[in-house]
Amino acid sequence: MLDRAYRQRLEADLAQWESDGVITPAVLAAIRVALPPLTPGINIAVVVAIVGGLLIAASFLAFVAAHWIELARLLRLAILLAGIVGAHGLGAWFARAGQPVLADLCASVGAIIFGAAIALVGQMYHLGGDFAGGMLLWAMGALVAAALTGSRGALAVALVAACIWSNMRVYETHDAAHFSFVVIWLAAAGLALAWNSRVAAHLLALAALPWWIATALLADPASPYVLADGAALLFGAGLALAVAPWQRASSAGAVLSTYGALSLAGVAILEAATANEAFRAHADVLSHPLWAISCGIVGVIFAFGAAATTRRAGAAFAASAIGLVLLASAVWTPPHVGEPWRAYALALCAMICLVASAMLDTARPRIVAGWLGIAGVIAAITWTVEGSLLHRSMFLAAAGLVAVALALLLNRLLPRTRE
């Protein structure tokens, strides 16, 4: 979908450049020949087919569940196996017919039936009640199906099952982060790079968020420092991959940096909203895991490395935003009481740097993340329950005056463009 929108803009630009005499018709024809062919889009017929496929899969599962007790065990296994094989066989037929979307859907349905088969077989043979282990088996099977078929839907099923498995393990242990999830996540990341798929990169970024949230709640539900480290690593690694010389890595890095920027804005809002005495009284900065601190530091190093490699001010501002959010989490639990002015100031400066980096790099999703962060931090400072509203209004006024003065200074220093 994104490639199609880009090609439409490119075609409009090429036509304009040809009419303006910037390029010749021969150059225009050469550019069009060099462009790769577009993949078939999703039309109304494909959407209806997708809905029909999902309904058929649901009907199959409901039929098997309704007659589960009446059927013999071998017949039950045969029906489940036929459902899995039939879904993948139909997917292979669609792939040969040039219908990749429908082929992907069939592989996804096959992965879903595989998960249902695990649950039904476990119930049938009275296997152990380790539901989390069943989710792991489902995730591994769906991941293998994704690797064999190239199905983004099967990859989504695998990551969803892996997230459920990881969160269940965290709920059971209560004593450590569930690092086994990282192994499956890295395997999925390898598939995303091999496929050169932005859809798979989106799925990877989305799958990382629940793991970091569960880990943060396990470490200390009243403090945001683990979330800050996760956002820093996601954003910094995305920036580093985005400037890599390999197109596969740079495409995935652009997606990861978008989610990292949104996560960083969310953490800044959380820091401002909870950086008062009511939350700080329950926080324990000494419980900050060393591995989480290392992740935050690595994220900053990645971001500044990207800035040094490209020598772009936008990447430097992004790295500064990451560092300021980490500093805000470090001063989030000071030993004294009172308003956390330093945390407020650092969060505001971080979001300003995020907006500046997005404008310099012309990264629209990052601009949205930065402005959302600024609005959220201001709202959190204004409507925090604890503390003096008068003091906070004075702080906001002083911050506004500093911002206006800085804007006037930049207006004098920066070169002006003529229309």
Side-chain angles (χ1 to χ4, degrees):
M1 185 181 300
L2 295 176
D3 292 339
R4 187 171 297 275
Y6 165 74
R7 289 288 287 273
Q8 290 175 353
R9 294 196 303 270
L10 180 60
E11 287 292 339
D13 290 339
L14 289 175
Q16 183 64 38
W17 294 339
E18 183 187 17
S19 63
D20 294 341
V22 177
I23 59 176
T24 62
V27 173
L28 175 62
I31 293 175
R32 287 175 173 168
V33 170
L35 291 174
L38 280 174
T39 57
I42 300 178
N43 52 27
I44 297 177
V46 173
V47 172
V48 174
I50 290 175
V51 175
L54 294 176
L55 291 174
I56 292 173
S59 173
F60 175 83
L61 296 176
F63 175 81
V64 173
H67 299 277
W68 189 248
I69 300 178
E70 304 171 4
L71 301 175
R73 288 188 175 183
L74 291 178
L75 183 57
R76 298 174 192 176
L77 291 176
I79 290 175
L80 294 174
L81 182 61
I84 297 172
V85 174
H88 287 289
L90 188 60
W93 184 81
F94 277 126
R96 289 192 175 185
Q99 297 290 340
V101 176
L102 296 180
D104 195 303
L105 172 65
C106 290
S108 306
V109 171
I112 294 173
I113 297 176
F114 174 71
I118 293 174
L120 294 174
V121 170
Q123 182 269 339
M124 180 171 57
Y125 289 99
H126 306 288
L127 301 179
D130 187 7
F131 188 76
M135 299 304 296
L136 172 60
L137 181 60
W138 186 12
M140 295 175 63
L143 191 62
V144 171
L148 294 176
T149 63
S151 170
R152 279 61 169 169
L155 180 63
V157 172
L159 289 174
V160 169
C163 288
I164 297 174
W165 161 66
S166 179
N167 282 276
M168 292 184 69
R169 288 294 187 230
V170 167
Y171 178 78
E172 293 172 356
T173 58
H174 289 286
D175 57 355
H178 189 239
F179 293 109
S180 300
F181 171 80
V182 180
V183 177
I184 293 183
W185 191 90
L186 289 176
L191 287 180
L193 289 177
W195 294 341
N196 192 20
S197 170
R198 292 179 66 90
V199 174
H202 281 283
L203 294 174
L204 283 173
L206 287 172
L209 299 181
W211 186 85
W212 278 103
I213 293 173
T215 304
L217 293 175
L218 180 68
D220 191 344
S223 56
Y225 44 71
V226 174
L227 287 177
D229 293 326
L233 180 61
L234 186 61
F235 194 16
L239 291 173
L241 288 174
V243 301
W246 305 283
Q247 190 274 333
R248 297 173 184 266
S250 61
S251 178
V255 175
L256 294 180
S257 64
T258 296
Y259 285 89
L262 291 170
S263 302
L264 199 72
V267 170
I269 296 172
L270 183 62
E271 288 174 345
T274 60
N276 54 71
E277 191 173 349
F279 288 91
R280 284 180 287 155
H282 303 286
D284 183 11
V285 70
L286 298 179
S287 65
H288 194 170
L290 180 60
W291 67 266
I293 298 175
S294 302
C295 288
I297 294 174
V298 169
V300 174
I301 293 174
F302 279 156
F304 276 109
T309 301
T310 60
R311 296 184 179 181
R312 293 205 313 261
F317 273 107
S320 300
I322 297 173
L324 289 171
V325 169
L326 292 178
L327 284 177
S329 66
V331 303
W332 187 84
T333 55
H336 60 276
V337 297
E339 290 282 1
W341 305 120
R342 289 181 297 172
Y344 290 159
L346 289 171
L348 281 173
C349 291
M351 293 300 97
I352 292 174
C353 288
L354 186 60
V355 173
S357 72
M359 294 181 66
L360 292 171
D361 289 343
T362 62
R364 292 183 179 179
R366 207 186 307 169
I367 292 177
V368 174
W371 280 112
L372 287 176
I374 291 175
V377 170
I378 293 175
I381 296 173
T382 305
W383 300 110
T384 300
V385 177
E386 297 290 333
S388 170
L389 185 59
L390 176 61
H391 291 167
R392 278 178 273 144
S393 66
M394 295 173 62
F395 170 82
L396 292 172
L401 291 175
V402 170
V404 171
L406 180 61
L408 293 175
L409 178 62
L410 291 175
N411 189 46
R412 287 179 174 272
L413 295 179
L414 294 178
R416 299 182 179 179
T417 59
R418 295 182 178 179
E419 297 292 340

